[in-house]
Amino acid sequence: MEIRSWLPPWIRPRPAGDPPADEQTITDEAARDGRAPASPATPPAEPPLREEDVAAELRTRRDEIVRMEERALRQMESVETQLRELERPRQVLVKEVEEEARQQAGLTLQRVEEETKLEAERRARGILAVAMQRLSAAQATQATTRLVQLPSDEMKGRIIGRDGRNIRALENLTGVDFIIDETPSAVLLSSFDGVRREIARLTLEKLIADGRIHPARCEEFYEQSKAEIDDRIVEEAEKALLEARVTGVHPELVRLLGRLKFRTSYGQNVLEHLVECAHLASLMAGELGASSEIARRAALLHDLGKAVSHDVDGTHAIVGARLARRYDEPEAVAHAIEAHHNEVEPRTVEAVLVQAADALSGARPGVRGESLEQYVSRLRDLEEIAQRQSGVEKVYAMQAGREIRVMVDPGAVDDEAAALISHEIATAVEREMEYPGRIKITVIRESRATTFAK
């Protein structure tokens, strides 16, 4: 096979005797037109291509194609590199946007939590304000008034006096409101200060017994009553100190302690509450190996701030600790006083014992101003709510309704179900009952294995 057979027509050698293509075309056109073709000048014949030249041409073309492919590959790699370089800042940008979005989401979540907390506090204050508005009248009437019986209604006019001069003199001297209304044969004394109410009561009773009621006589009996109450304050304080076995208390603290004899908290006399707390704290300290003296002393003085809470700004715990430090009480005692309502984190065992004694004294049935019927009803309602749950065998309401202990059937209730039962009971109690403080729900699941040796 000849090489010319696969060469392109433009480089394929012509056979001998064939005219050039252009000449053939001219001859054909002249024949069609019926005229004789002109005799062109005969060009010199081209020499035939050699196989060596053709092979060299092919090698040249092949090398050129290879170079073009390599150049194309390099250009492609360059384009890919440029694309990667372009994508790198885009990825960095996406990462930065994600980080910024995450940060903004965290800030938004924090802001929403703060706003929710503020809104909850605002609503809580609103609820408390409404509750105080509804219940303050009854509470104030019970805790801040004292009724004095009169021998007759005619005595009311004498107490008022001409143009009200006698009753004005009594109110100015005692700082107590004398309320004379439609109540037959009685005068109502109203004041937030229990000592003042007691002095006013004693003064009025002296005036009624004497029968001579005028401003000068009012002043005279007021001074007598005030001296008697001051003596009684010291006497009650010394009696409490003796009963609690506490000595070495500053005279000013003794006087403040005695004033608590004329103050109540939820119907419980504060001074009696303090003596009870002193006994409880001392017993617990002895069992734990702590200082019974510190625990007893701190428990007796822990509500000292209530004696001056109407005259000094601050909570009674902080005010009481300030008074204790001022009158040289030990720092352990002052710390227990300021920490008994967790306004300061308790750092000593004695401080925790004072908290426990305070809770025990206030939680025992009948100590606070609550009727027996309400107390029994609350316990019964708590037990009924717990009994509704499936798998519950026994329910005990304890600590004046502040704790519920639920015994479940270990065969029917597993550990996960026990946790769910406690949650459901707590939800039902919150939904159906009204109660102060918190109620602890404890679900007890006990498994026993019994075998007899024969």
Side-chain angles (χ1 to χ4, degrees), residues 177-231:
D177 292 331
F178 284 68
I179 301 173
I180 300 177
D181 52 14
E182 301 298 328
T183 306
S185 303
V187 174
L188 192 65
L189 308 180
S190 176
S191 174
F192 284 98
D193 191 327
V195 176
R196 289 182 180 180
R197 285 201 311 272
E198 191 64 18
I199 293 175
R201 181 193 66 81
L202 195 55
T203 301
L204 184 58
E205 289 179 352
K206 288 179 179 294
L207 288 171
I208 294 171
D210 184 74
R212 296 171 293 175
I213 305 177
H214 53 80
R217 203 67 174 170
C218 291
E219 186 174 356
E220 178 184 351
F221 285 133
Y222 168 75
E223 295 296 336
Q224 294 179 9
S225 301
K226 186 173 180 299
E228 291 180 13
I229 294 300
D230 289 341
D231 293 340

Side-chain angles (χ1 to χ4, degrees), residues 405-425:
R405 294 194 178 179
V406 183
M407 310 292 182
V408 297
D409 181 6
V413 179
D414 56 12
D415 293 339
E416 291 75 12
L420 182 60
I421 288 175
S422 65
H423 176 73
E424 291 178 350
I425 293 175

